[in-house]
Amino acid sequence: MVLLTGGTGLVGAHLLIRLIENGEKVRATYRNRNAIEKTKALFAYYQKETLFDAIEWKEADVTNITQLEEAFIGIEYVYHCAGLISFQPSDEGRLRKTNIEGTANVVNFCLANNVIKLCYISSVAALGDLAEHETVVTESTEWNPEKPHSDYAISKYGAEMEIWRGQQEGLQSVIINPGIILGPGFDDQGSGLLYKRVAKGLSFYTTGVTAFIAVPDVVEIAIKLINSSIVNERYTLVAENSSYQQILNSMSDALNVKRPSIHAKGWLLEIAWRLDKFASFLFRSKRNLTKYMARSSYNSRIFSNEKIKADLKISFIDVHQYIKKIAKV
Ligand SMILES: NC(=O)c1ccc[n+]([C@@H]2O[C@H](COP(=O)([O-])OP(=O)(O)OC[C@H]3O[C@@H](n4cnc5c(N)ncnc54)[C@H](OP(=O)(O)O)[C@@H]3O)[C@@H](O)[C@H]2O)c1
């Protein structure tokens, strides 16, 4: 039996559809029963409602040992998709607890239950920092603890360290490091938020470059890796290194709204995040633009996908075509 953590998230819900389609017996974790409705709605979006009832749901927070113990009964394979994505400075503790401590718990239960293989959904945020002579981030680019990292990146890197610790203790696993994942159904989180903002009309664009990938590619690769003989490797998953401007333009065109036309330059963003910090201190409100968000939107980081292409012989969905496709439905 397969255990999938984070069955109510973008990646977990998409993986569930494919796993059930493939005839797997799957137990999926949730924290709040209401969130299961999002997964159910996604099955309906793909007209796969009839498959939904095949999921065995189990309430389990990855930081709750008792709940995890029950979730792991009879499990052979694990997709660990549960995680917190946040760039709010106030979420530092929650990020560490969910992503590092939660992953340590998952690893420990995998070891205790002789799980055959674990697939962990990490992020490009956990990849290393380029040295001066390097231009492209790969799986072996070294993490430099002296360079600034977001709390999210630190938590994902810390989670990977738990996976590597598990490997040393005999757990067979694979790690995937996707770029920003594009997909339908989850408007209030991740790239769904970007769509929502573009739909409302966005004036500013930035020219920073980062990695993007469509969710069906992430699902396909995770399943192929867990069923392969590949163990104890990590793979960067990027279909395209694209500027935010290009992605926002594609989203605007797909949603039939005006493209953002004002270039938010680096110096403007540097002022904006400081003003946002001041406003959030004054009004005790959540941050809209943190230092990390501002800098990553005007900096460029290019990632290589050569390793996964060579090992799995796969090609990727064109992200701009995919943006059009999911906006239409
Ligand atoms: N989305 C992206 O662009 C992206 C890119 C790279 C890597 N990733 C990684 O991929 C993984 C899945 O991301 P996603 O896009 O599916 O995120 P998501 O849509 O925000 O879903 C996160 C999932 O994790 C669950 N979760 C959060 N905290 C938990 C806890 N303490 N215990 C158990 N479950 C918990 C959530 O449950 P609730 O519904 O109860 O909140 C939800 O099911 C994450 O680890 C993320 O870091 C995502």
Side-chain angles (χ1 to χ4, degrees):
M1 185 168 208
V2 173
L3 177 68
L4 183 143
T5 66
T8 55
L10 172 71
V11 176
H14 278 88
L15 254 167
L16 278 174
I17 295 177
R18 279 301 305 277
L19 291 169
I20 302 288
E21 258 178 343
N22 292 352
E24 300 275 6
K25 278 186 77 186
V26 189
R27 184 177 297 148
T29 69
Y30 70 94
R31 291 188 299 171
N32 174 345
R33 195 158 267 287
N34 294 337
I36 294 176
E37 289 307 314
K38 286 190 280 183
T39 305
K40 195 171 185 181
L42 192 77
F43 275 66
Y45 170 92
Y46 287 108
Q47 296 168 355
K48 309 272 183 197
E49 295 96 323
T50 49
L51 301 178
F52 181 78
D53 288 340
I55 306 166
E56 181 188 318
W57 286 99
K58 172 84 187 76
E59 183 180 359
D61 191 303
V62 289
T63 61
N64 184 318
I65 300 296
T66 315
Q67 288 178 342
L68 275 183
E69 195 164 19
E70 289 164 10
F72 267 85
I73 294 171
I75 295 299
E76 295 168 296
Y77 292 92
V78 177
Y79 293 90
H80 179 28
C81 311
L84 178 63
I85 305 173
S86 170
F87 298 99
Q88 291 292 328
S90 57
D91 277 339
E92 184 191 351
R94 282 178 66 218
L95 281 164
R96 283 178 186 269
K97 197 164 174 62
T98 307
N99 295 346
I100 305 178
E101 191 184 309
T103 301
N105 291 339
V106 168
V107 165
N108 292 342
F109 278 107
C110 284
L111 286 164
N113 289 276
N114 296 318
V115 161
I116 298 172
K117 198 162 170 186
L118 161 72
C119 175
Y120 175 55
I121 322 296
S122 183
S123 161
V124 289
L127 294 173
D129 305 284
L130 290 175
E132 253 169 44
H133 61 282
E134 295 172 325
T135 50
V136 179
V137 182
T138 72
E139 291 79 356
S140 43
T141 303
E142 267 186 53
W143 175 272
N144 182 349
E146 282 169 20
K147 291 263 167 101
H149 298 98
S150 66
D151 294 329
Y152 172 67
I154 293 168
S155 74
K156 296 299 281 186
Y157 181 71
E160 283 199 23
M161 288 176 80
E162 291 299 331
I163 305 286
W164 301 333
R165 192 250 314 157
Q167 290 171 3
Q168 296 302 312
E169 292 175 29
L171 173 62
Q172 301 210 321
S173 60
V174 279
I175 298 174
I176 55 175
N177 299 71
I180 295 179
I181 303 171
L182 301 162
F186 292 80
D187 293 352
D188 293 319
Q189 52 221 72
S191 60
L193 277 172
L194 212 54
Y195 262 100
K196 224 173 159 177
R197 284 192 194 153
V198 171
K200 279 188 188 161
L202 205 59
S203 310
F204 293 93
Y205 67 86
T206 61
T207 49
V209 173
T210 194
F212 292 87
I213 185 164
V215 70
D217 279 341
V218 176
V219 165
E220 190 77 29
I221 292 168
I223 294 176
K224 275 196 171 144
L225 283 174
I226 223 166
N227 292 324
S228 74
S229 56
I230 296 170
V231 287
N232 305 349
E233 295 283 351
R234 87 203 285 220
Y235 288 96
T236 306
L237 304 194
V238 41
E240 187 175 325
N241 292 289
S242 175
S243 71
Y244 288 100
Q245 182 186 15
Q246 288 171 313
I247 293 291
L248 294 176
N249 284 348
S250 289
M251 285 182 176
S252 307
D253 295 350
L255 295 166
N256 224 358
V257 297
K258 201 169 157 277
R259 290 179 171 192
S261 57
I262 307 169
H263 183 190
K265 296 200 172 115
W267 63 266
L268 192 65
L269 290 161
E270 285 295 323
I271 297 173
W273 76 254
R274 286 174 171 87
L275 288 176
D276 182 76
K277 186 174 180 182
F278 184 62
S280 123
F281 172 75
L282 213 59
F283 302 113
R284 300 266 173 269
S285 56
K286 277 203 156 193
R287 299 285 300 276
N288 289 311
L289 185 69
T290 63
K291 179 165 80 174
Y292 172 79
M293 285 154 82
R295 292 191 179 163
S296 60
S297 67
Y298 70 78
N299 285 331
S300 294
R301 247 184 133 209
I302 310 284
F303 299 88
S304 165
N305 59 12
E306 292 305 321
K307 184 177 171 186
I308 192 75
K309 280 202 301 198
D311 286 5
L312 288 192
K313 312 274 177 287
I314 47 145
S315 55
F316 292 96
I317 296 169
D318 179 299
V319 291
H320 299 281
Q321 293 298 329
Y322 186 68
I323 285 170
K324 261 191 219 155
K325 185 178 167 187
I326 59 178
K328 271 197 190 122
V329 187

